[in-house]
Amino acid sequence: MILHSSKPTNNQSQDEALLGKIGSLLRDPKVNAKKWLIVIVVIFLGFTFIKDILLPNRIVNYRLEIAFEVDGVPVFGSGVQQLSIRRVPQILTTTSIVKNVYGEAVVIDLLDRGAIFALLGSPVAKNEVRLSSIGLFNSLLMRSCGLTESLKHKTWNDYIRSIGRITGECEIAHEDLPIFVHFSDETDPYSAQRVDPENPDTTLGKGIRFLNARLVVTNERISQKIDQRLDWLTDDSGKRLVVHLDAEKQPFARSLTNGMFRRMTK
């Protein structure tokens, strides 16, 4: 019996050559590094996508703009603040979302009448100011841009995503205005006085009038300059601004905290 050796066909030779090249590439450490990098990126993107479905997180920067009038002359103040809102598992907390506002009080210079500071807080029931005023201010963007009512028809996740889609500007209603403060002496935190936007002349004298306030969504960075103006503002904690005051004689000044003037991200 005569055995004939079969010669490889052109296709077989090409396939074997291709497999050889692939094997060489897989053994190449540079290629392996790229391969694992691609795998890691795909896993990370997949995790991020799933997390956004289950536990969305949104951050919105906005410029708070406030206008007053001094003896017929308009004056303005503005500052960039940031809203951070995220969904959290209820097994870790008693609430479904965590929201915080970062930034600092907006300063409105009143020509020769000193200045008004619009704090990171809003009056609570009965127009009072207390620690919970900060929590109310955390919803300023949602209330001013008309998203509060929409929550009745949305899940928390959809609500958070809708906040991330806010653009343009939103007028701030009178009932949502921040707490306004004036210092008769800016070097002395004990001299804090509350300014009523409806009757600012009660505190500041005649000729002062509130005009309007609005939010403008922006990509600008959070403002950080108030400590140059109020050098006694040493931190942004929740401790009281002043502690050695008679609560009955000066209840407003004693109700203020450092965190109402400045709160920065960690």
Side-chain angles (χ1 to χ4, degrees), residues 57-64 79-85 99-104 120 137-138 141 163 215 218-224 263-266:
N57 172 42
R58 295 295 183 271
I59 294 176
V60 180
N61 284 21
Y62 58 87
R63 177 173 290 280
L64 174 57
V80 177
Q81 300 168 352
Q82 181 185 91
L83 169 70
S84 171
I85 182 168
K99 59 182 186 295
N100 289 293
V101 168
Y102 301 103
E104 59 186 23
L120 297 171
F137 188 82
N138 288 348
L141 180 69
I163 291 172
L215 303 172
T218 180
N219 292 322
E220 298 175 64
R221 293 184 177 182
I222 299 174
S223 300
Q224 298 187 49
R263 289 202 306 278
M264 293 298 163
T265 57
K266 305 300 182 183

Side-chain angles (χ1 to χ4, degrees), residues 18-60:
L18 180 59
L19 289 173
K21 288 181 180 179
I22 292 174
S24 298
L25 287 173
L26 292 177
R27 288 190 295 272
D28 187 335
K30 294 182 179 179
V31 174
N32 272 329
K34 291 180 180 179
K35 179 181 68 174
W36 283 110
L37 179 61
I38 292 172
V39 171
I40 292 171
V41 170
V42 170
I43 292 174
F44 174 76
L45 292 176
F47 173 77
T48 303
F49 177 74
I50 293 172
K51 183 182 177 183
D52 190 62
I53 292 176
L54 301 177
L55 300 171
N57 172 42
R58 295 295 183 271
I59 294 176
V60 180

Side-chain angles (χ1 to χ4, degrees), residues 94-110:
T94 56
T95 184
S96 297
I97 63 170
V98 173
K99 59 182 186 295
N100 289 293
V101 168
Y102 301 103
E104 59 186 23
V106 172
V107 183
I108 306 99
D109 280 304
L110 303 175

Side-chain angles (χ1 to χ4, degrees), residues 2-266:
I2 300 175
L3 297 176
H4 299 278
S5 58
S6 58
K7 294 183 179 180
T9 64
N10 289 337
N11 288 339
Q12 287 176 328
S13 298
Q14 291 174 358
D15 291 344
E16 290 174 359
L18 180 59
L19 289 173
K21 288 181 180 179
I22 292 174
S24 298
L25 287 173
L26 292 177
R27 288 190 295 272
D28 187 335
K30 294 182 179 179
V31 174
N32 272 329
K34 291 180 180 179
K35 179 181 68 174
W36 283 110
L37 179 61
I38 292 172
V39 171
I40 292 171
V41 170
V42 170
I43 292 174
F44 174 76
L45 292 176
F47 173 77
T48 303
F49 177 74
I50 293 172
K51 183 182 177 183
D52 190 62
I53 292 176
L54 301 177
L55 300 171
N57 172 42
R58 295 295 183 271
I59 294 176
V60 180
N61 284 21
Y62 58 87
R63 177 173 290 280
L64 174 57
E65 300 178 347
I66 299 172
F68 276 78
E69 187 180 82
V70 181
D71 297 327
V73 179
V75 292
F76 306 90
S78 69
V80 177
Q81 300 168 352
Q82 181 185 91
L83 169 70
S84 171
I85 182 168
R86 59 189 173 91
R87 182 72 187 273
V88 294
Q90 283 191 285
I91 58 174
L92 301 179
T93 179
T94 56
T95 184
S96 297
I97 63 170
V98 173
K99 59 182 186 295
N100 289 293
V101 168
Y102 301 103
E104 59 186 23
V106 172
V107 183
I108 306 99
D109 280 304
L110 303 175
L111 304 180
D112 59 348
R113 306 282 192 97
I116 290 176
F117 295 80
L119 305 189
L120 297 171
S122 301
V124 294
K126 299 179 182 179
N127 211 25
E128 295 176 355
V129 178
R130 52 178 185 264
L131 291 178
S132 57
S133 297
I134 291 179
L136 191 62
F137 188 82
N138 288 348
S139 299
L140 179 64
L141 180 69
M142 289 82 86
R143 295 199 311 272
S144 300
C145 296
L147 292 184
T148 305
E149 286 297 317
S150 69
L151 181 58
K152 298 176 182 178
H153 311 289
K154 294 182 177 180
T155 65
W156 277 118
N157 288 6
D158 289 338
Y159 181 67
I160 292 172
R161 292 189 192 98
S162 66
I163 291 172
R165 292 191 291 269
I166 296 176
T167 58
E169 61 185 59
C170 306
E171 295 294 322
I172 301 175
H174 186 87
E175 60 269 20
D176 295 328
L177 287 172
I179 300 164
F180 292 134
V181 173
H182 169 74
F183 294 98
S184 54
D185 178 1
E186 287 188 14
T187 66
D188 181 11
Y190 288 72
S191 68
Q193 300 172 296
R194 186 173 177 184
V195 177
D196 180 358
E198 288 190 349
N199 301 288
D201 52 348
T202 302
T203 306
L204 301 168
K206 293 183 179 181
I208 308 292
R209 186 167 68 95
F210 169 74
L211 295 179
N212 55 64
R214 65 176 184 169
L215 303 172
V216 182
V217 176
T218 180
N219 292 322
E220 298 175 64
R221 293 184 177 182
I222 299 174
S223 300
Q224 298 187 49
K225 56 185 178 181
I226 195 170
D227 55 345
Q228 300 172 14
R229 178 99 182 217
L230 305 176
D231 55 9
W232 43 260
L233 193 64
T234 56
D235 59 40
D236 54 2
S237 68
K239 71 179 183 181
R240 293 187 184 280
L241 194 65
V242 293
V243 292
H244 304 296
L245 280 181
D246 187 327
E248 294 184 0
K249 292 182 179 180
Q250 293 174 290
F252 174 68
R254 189 166 169 76
S255 69
L256 302 178
T257 68
N258 284 6
M260 291 182 179
F261 287 82
R262 181 179 61 188
R263 289 202 306 278
M264 293 298 163
T265 57
K266 305 300 182 183

